[in-house]
Amino acid sequence: MFEILVDAMSVFFTLSNVLAVALGLIIGIVIGAIPGLNVPMIVALLLPITFYMDPITGLSLLLGVYKGGTYGGSISAVLINTPGAPAAACTQLDGYPMALKGQGGKALQASIYGSVIGELIADILLIALATQIARFALKFGPNEKFSLVFFALVTIGVASGQNRLKGIAAGLIGLFIYSIGIEPISAASRFIFGNINFYGGIPFLPMLIGLFGVSEFFVQIEKKAVAGSKETVIPISKNREDNVISMKEFKANIWNILRSSFIGIGIGALPGSGSSISAYVAYGAARNASKDPDSFGQGALEGVIAPETANNATVGGALIPLLTLGIPGDAITAILLGVFLIHGIVPGPELFTKSADLVYPIFISLMVGNVLHLVIAQLGLKLFMKMIQISKAILFPIIIVLCIFGAYSVGTSMFDVYVMLFFGILGYIMKKLDIPTAPLLMGHILGSLFEKSLVQSLILSKGSIVPFFTRPISLFFLLLTVFFIFWSGFSSYLRKKKNARSR
Amino acid sequence: MVLHNKQTLIEGLFFLLFGLVILLLIPSQIMVTPSIHTTTTPAFIPTVVAVALMIVGFLMVIKSFRAKHKTTKNIDFSLESFLRVGGSILLLVAYIEMFRIIGIVVASAVFVAVFSYIFGLRSWVKMAVTVVVVPVVVWLVFEYVFKIPLPHGFLF
């Protein structure tokens, strides 16, 4: 293992790869910090550019964006009381009160340290466990693969907050969109409507740019013009004590950091969860474990460290099922799955045998990303604070131009541009109606594996579904799915009961 | 107009209808070719999706009638927001169609100006800089750095 990593280092350490990680982190932090812009959107916009890069360079850039974007949201959460990314909404609870007390610098330092340590622990665990999990997953036949994909699709639908039925419907629509084009087993055409452009299926990238880029453009354009207004940024104190974390404060938070890291990794590894959930769970756990729980919400340092550590640890946690099983956990990892496929890398058990020359350098890029994250976040803080104030009247016209150029460049086809526009409108309607877009994307991207494994299983068993229940791993995933549905329904029932009692 | 507790009913009916439309389209839109396997047909997954969507839609309709409390979250469907979004969709269609005529770079410059004005930019200097810099930089990156052929029109 150690020798493989040393070889991977010699492959990774080129100027272009290191610069790609650094650039990805800077872009991610800036995008994460600006409310209204989000990581899936910018990954979608950068994706066409990575086509023309070496796979390691392109993936390093996008993984840098993922890491940077997850942290970047905390800057605006602390300084302008508006989370730049959903995952930072929890950071805001104590980060903003700290900024009001003149300790904004300390809150941001806590956020940087928490994020980097959380990421580091998650990445080490990913590197240590990935090969073992992948080796085990090599035993999976079509039955196991189908049950696993079924589990992933159901959980991401069911885990869509209070809108479970909407989440499931979105996943089903994603499966329907996948089914447009040529069927992979018998090559029969489906839902072509006489248009030859549909034979190749719905193109992934224009769909992605539409769902995450163009839809946000519509959301922003709907709001009234506010070009002259600027966000009020709370200034950082000049007093050194308010801007640094003392060794005593750091030591007092070691358990908090470790606990939050493992919460982040565990939740990240589950399909359908993601960094927002892990941040809140870690925050709750930190509060329960705190000697002074009443200080939470009033500007408690622990209340900033816990969610920030957990949400960045989720990044590494989410990469575990993605790389070892080929199963994405949320919208960003679903996009990354598409990125890997576009670059000819198929995430899953065979990744470590067939694409070992690519996957280990990517592990190195994650580790290098942690070091660069620490440096860039510290040095660039003042610049990132200024970027929060950039006018949306300039930003969003730039974004729409990038969307159009990006969608066109995929296949130099006007059809792709119109597909992007269609999904932009669909994404906007879904946002207005509170229908999650992640299950739709998952349905589309996992549709192929879902159908192929189902048909192969049925061919092997001559049409019988019994092997799904007699093969132990397949049965395990099906039981897990049933458990998850009941657990989700039961916890929702308990929540409703609690709310009714408090009323 | 403000939609509130009817939202779930409308969404449920939409999913129900969408599933039904898929079911009705399957016979005409799925060309089943002779296959080596007979356990499933290419219509299998779309049929499962359609039926499941109808079930989800039906459950949402039931849920909307069983709701004891009105939902607190309202969806703002004001005329102004409809016009802003509807107008921007039409502008985007015009932008895409103008590629063929005046080329992607010039069309982008025109629409950067239009959209920044809609977003409320009133500084002519900032607008002029954005209009020139953004399309030119994006064009240089795509066409010269990444060698992607872009559509050019009679202007450029």
Side-chain angles (χ1 to χ4, degrees):
Chain A
M1 179 75 178
F2 184 72
E3 281 173 18
I4 297 172
L5 289 175
V6 172
D7 288 344
M9 275 185 208
S10 63
V11 175
F12 174 78
F13 278 108
T14 63
L15 184 64
S16 58
N17 287 346
V18 177
L19 282 178
V21 180
L23 186 66
L25 279 162
I26 294 169
I27 294 172
I29 295 172
V30 170
I31 296 303
I34 299 172
L37 300 189
N38 53 59
V39 179
M41 173 207 269
I42 204 68
V43 171
L45 289 181
L46 288 173
L47 192 46
I49 295 172
T50 67
F51 277 170
Y52 305 93
M53 292 177 177
D54 174 75
I56 297 171
T57 314
L59 286 164
S60 299
L61 177 82
L62 297 178
L63 288 169
V65 173
Y66 188 12
K67 277 173 182 270
T70 312
Y71 152 74
S74 66
I75 300 175
S76 45
V78 171
L79 297 179
I80 61 170
N81 200 21
T82 309
C90 194
T91 311
Q92 187 186 346
L93 298 176
D94 281 280
Y96 186 65
M98 277 183 79
L100 289 177
K101 287 194 269 183
Q103 294 183 325
K106 191 191 280 268
L108 290 171
Q109 286 289 330
S111 170
I112 294 170
Y113 291 143
S115 299
V116 172
I117 298 173
E119 269 172 19
L120 187 69
I121 294 173
D123 291 344
I124 290 171
L125 209 66
L126 166 71
I127 295 169
L129 289 181
T131 325
Q132 316 303 326
I133 297 173
R135 200 172 293 155
F136 173 70
L138 274 172
K139 294 174 188 162
F140 287 13
N143 294 83
E144 287 77 13
K145 282 181 188 167
F146 171 79
S147 300
L148 175 65
V149 175
F150 184 69
F151 167 69
L153 286 175
V154 171
T155 45
I156 199 161
V158 171
S160 307
Q162 294 176 339
N163 303 311
R164 268 181 234 107
L165 288 172
K166 289 183 187 181
I168 294 167
L172 290 167
I173 292 173
L175 272 175
F176 168 70
I177 292 167
Y178 145 75
S179 74
I180 296 171
I182 301 291
E183 194 243 1
I185 309 283
S186 66
S189 65
R190 295 190 290 207
F191 305 108
I192 300 296
F193 298 102
N195 187 334
I196 55 163
N197 288 305
F198 284 123
Y199 275 104
I202 297 296
F204 175 69
L205 196 58
M207 174 182 156
L208 202 64
I209 296 173
L211 274 180
F212 293 99
V214 181
S215 66
E216 191 57 42
F217 174 80
F218 291 140
V219 169
Q220 295 294 334
I221 212 161
E222 190 190 335
K223 296 172 186 168
K224 283 187 179 174
V226 281
S229 67
K230 275 190 173 180
E231 305 282 5
T232 313
V233 176
I234 296 179
I236 297 280
S237 160
K238 284 181 181 154
N239 185 0
R240 192 176 178 273
E241 279 180 14
D242 289 334
N243 294 326
V244 291
I245 293 180
S246 66
M247 191 48 88
K248 193 181 161 195
E249 286 169 324
F250 184 76
K251 276 183 183 169
N253 274 287
I254 284 179
W255 279 115
N256 186 13
I257 290 173
L258 286 175
R259 183 179 52 240
S260 305
S261 298
F262 285 103
I263 288 173
I265 295 164
I267 290 180
L270 280 176
S273 11
S275 45
S276 310
I277 297 172
S278 70
Y280 277 102
V281 174
Y283 184 84
R287 191 178 176 165
N288 286 339
S290 173
K291 286 174 190 160
D292 184 15
D294 292 339
S295 66
F296 278 66
Q298 317 288 323
L301 187 65
E302 295 156 276
V304 174
I305 291 178
E308 278 304 305
T309 309
N311 69 27
N312 273 66
T314 307
V315 174
L319 290 176
I320 297 174
L322 176 73
L323 295 178
T324 58
L325 304 173
I327 300 294
D330 59 6
I332 306 174
T333 40
I335 296 172
L336 285 176
L337 176 60
V339 177
F340 278 99
L341 294 173
I342 285 165
H343 283 284
I345 307 169
V346 184
E350 289 170 354
L351 178 71
F352 295 84
T353 48
K354 286 187 177 166
S355 304
D357 54 331
L358 294 174
V359 75
Y360 289 102
I362 289 166
F363 283 164
I364 302 297
S365 94
L366 289 171
M367 297 303 280
V368 171
N370 295 331
V371 179
L372 289 175
H373 187 170
L374 187 65
V375 177
I376 289 168
Q378 297 265 19
L379 296 180
L381 192 56
K382 282 188 179 159
L383 174 74
F384 301 138
M385 282 165 65
K386 283 219 162 27
M387 295 297 285
I388 300 175
Q389 294 177 302
I390 194 167
S391 166
K392 284 181 182 165
I394 293 173
L395 210 56
F396 277 95
I398 297 174
I399 283 169
I400 201 68
V401 167
L402 286 174
C403 287
I404 299 265
F405 273 73
Y408 181 83
S409 70
V410 181
T412 56
S413 145
M414 297 301 277
F415 173 73
D416 288 349
V417 184
Y418 277 106
V419 168
M420 176 206 75
L421 183 59
F422 172 80
F423 280 98
I425 298 167
L426 181 69
Y428 166 75
I429 294 170
M430 288 175 79
K431 278 180 185 171
K432 290 292 284 184
L433 298 177
D434 240 352
I435 301 173
T437 44
L440 185 141
L441 194 63
M442 292 272 279
H444 179 265
I445 206 157
L446 291 176
S448 171
L449 187 58
F450 182 79
E451 184 164 30
K452 275 185 199 166
S453 54
L454 176 65
V455 173
Q456 282 170 355
S457 307
L458 292 174
I459 291 172
L460 285 172
S461 63
K462 297 188 173 71
S464 166
I465 58 163
V466 173
F468 288 114
F469 303 98
T470 52
R471 293 176 68 102
I473 300 170
S474 169
L475 180 67
F476 169 74
F477 284 120
L478 291 177
L479 288 176
L480 207 60
T481 312
V482 174
F483 168 76
F484 196 82
I485 293 169
F486 278 105
W487 176 75
S488 169
F490 183 64
S491 58
S492 159
Y493 168 75
L494 286 181
R495 211 168 30 241
K496 272 184 194 162
K497 215 173 167 185
K498 196 179 164 190
N499 287 348
R501 218 179 290 148
S502 60
R503 236 182 256 143
Chain B
M1 185 176 69
V2 175
L3 292 172
H4 39 85
N5 57 352
K6 286 182 190 161
Q7 192 194 334
T8 311
L9 176 70
I10 293 167
E11 286 165 352
L13 288 173
F14 171 78
F15 292 134
L16 201 63
L17 196 69
F18 191 52
L20 188 67
V21 169
I22 296 175
L23 267 188
L24 293 175
L25 281 174
I26 285 172
S28 63
Q29 286 299 321
I30 299 188
M31 305 301 159
V32 182
T33 48
S35 168
I36 52 163
H37 64 90
T38 52
T39 46
T40 61
T41 71
F44 182 64
I45 293 289
T47 309
V48 170
V49 167
V51 172
L53 258 177
M54 289 171 74
I55 294 170
V56 169
F58 182 68
L59 290 175
M60 286 176 79
V61 170
I62 292 175
K63 194 180 163 189
S64 72
F65 283 110
R66 286 187 64 193
K68 287 175 189 165
H69 307 285
K70 283 191 173 185
T71 48
T72 48
K73 193 177 177 189
N74 293 338
I75 294 173
D76 177 21
F77 258 22
S78 70
L79 182 66
E80 192 188 343
S81 59
F82 177 76
L83 287 177
R84 287 179 77 87
V85 176
S88 66
I89 292 170
L90 291 178
L91 281 171
L92 279 176
V93 173
Y95 176 13
I96 296 164
E97 286 305 313
M98 275 173 77
F99 286 5
R100 310 173 205 256
I101 307 164
I102 59 172
I104 196 166
V105 182
V106 183
S108 299
V110 171
F111 283 91
V112 164
V114 172
F115 284 124
S116 52
Y117 187 83
I118 294 172
F119 269 106
L121 188 67
R122 296 294 180 266
S123 159
W124 295 106
V125 179
K126 281 183 187 171
M127 193 183 283
V129 173
T130 317
V131 160
V132 174
V133 172
V134 174
V136 170
V137 170
V138 178
W139 162 64
L140 286 173
V141 169
F142 274 80
E143 200 152 72
Y144 286 91
V145 180
F146 296 115
K147 315 271 184 229
I148 302 163
L150 295 170
H152 289 270
F154 72 89
L155 282 175
F156 180 71

